[in-house]
Amino acid sequence: MLLRETEKGHAKADSQIRLMKDTLEEAQKERAEVDVQLKQTDAALQDASKGRTEAKAQLQQMKVAVQEAKERQAEAEVQLKHLESAVQDANRDREQANYQVGLLNKALQDSNKRLLEVEGDLKESKIAQLNTVNEHVQRNSELQETFKEAEMQHTEGKLRYYSQQAIR
């Protein structure tokens, strides 16, 4: 009986050993699966870490790009203010030039008006001078005719005198 019980105990122990072996094999399979999952997770973590590092680098590059863009924007704003100031200066210069042109146009109009007056006066003066010259020419012609007549009369008078002298 003891032998039976011992055999039963051995059979039970063998059964428990097989059960434990099966459990151990299952645990080893599970551990192998967990190891595979752990390796996959570790690889995923490494990829994620690598991706995070790349993302950080890209973020840093973006920050640098944003800073550079802000600096360019600030420079552009300064240049824009300079351009606006230059445009205002140019507008003031143009207004001043327009004012000067207006003054010059007014002076030119006044000068043209005075020139027309002077031309009118000059024409009147020339006409008066021409009239005076014409009067002198006419008076000279008249005097020449009178002189010729007087000369002829003088010559006639001489001829009469000499004729009378010759007759006597």
Side-chain angles (χ1 to χ4, degrees), residues 78-92:
V78 167
Q79 289 177 353
L80 179 62
K81 286 181 182 178
H82 288 307
L83 287 174
E84 288 173 346
S85 177
V87 166
Q88 289 174 352
D89 291 346
N91 284 340
R92 278 193 295 273

Side-chain angles (χ1 to χ4, degrees), residues 8-147:
K8 267 187 184 181
H10 278 289
K12 201 176 191 186
D14 283 342
S15 170
Q16 284 180 348
I17 288 173
R18 267 187 254 129
L19 186 60
M20 287 180 92
K21 278 184 181 179
D22 288 344
T23 303
L24 181 63
E25 283 179 15
E26 284 179 30
Q28 285 176 344
K29 284 180 185 178
E30 285 178 12
R31 182 167 182 229
E33 288 175 8
V34 167
D35 282 346
V36 168
Q37 288 177 352
L38 183 61
K39 285 179 183 177
Q40 289 173 348
T41 302
D42 188 40
L45 280 174
Q46 286 179 358
D47 288 345
S49 177
K50 186 178 177 182
R52 183 172 178 241
T53 302
E54 289 174 1
K56 278 184 178 180
Q58 287 177 351
L59 179 62
Q60 187 60 33
Q61 289 173 350
M62 291 172 97
K63 284 181 180 179
V64 169
V66 165
Q67 184 61 33
E68 289 173 352
K70 284 181 182 179
E71 290 171 3
R72 284 193 303 273
Q73 181 183 1
E75 289 173 10
E77 288 174 354
V78 167
Q79 289 177 353
L80 179 62
K81 286 181 182 178
H82 288 307
L83 287 174
E84 288 173 346
S85 177
V87 166
Q88 289 174 352
D89 291 346
N91 284 340
R92 278 193 295 273
D93 291 347
R94 187 182 71 222
E95 288 173 7
Q96 184 65 30
N98 285 340
Y99 176 75
Q100 293 295 328
V101 166
L103 291 177
L104 289 172
N105 281 336
K106 175 69 173 129
L108 183 60
Q109 288 173 352
D110 291 346
S111 176
N112 285 340
K113 185 177 179 183
R114 180 67 185 132
L115 183 60
L116 289 175
E117 290 172 359
V118 167
E119 283 178 351
D121 292 346
L122 184 61
K123 283 180 183 177
E124 289 176 13
S125 173
K126 282 184 179 181
I127 290 171
Q129 286 177 351
L130 287 175
N131 286 339
T132 302
V133 167
N134 284 339
E135 287 174 8
H136 286 290
V137 167
Q138 187 176 356
R139 178 76 178 130
N140 194 17
S141 294
E142 290 172 359
L143 287 173
Q144 282 180 354
E145 281 183 36
T146 304
F147 180 74

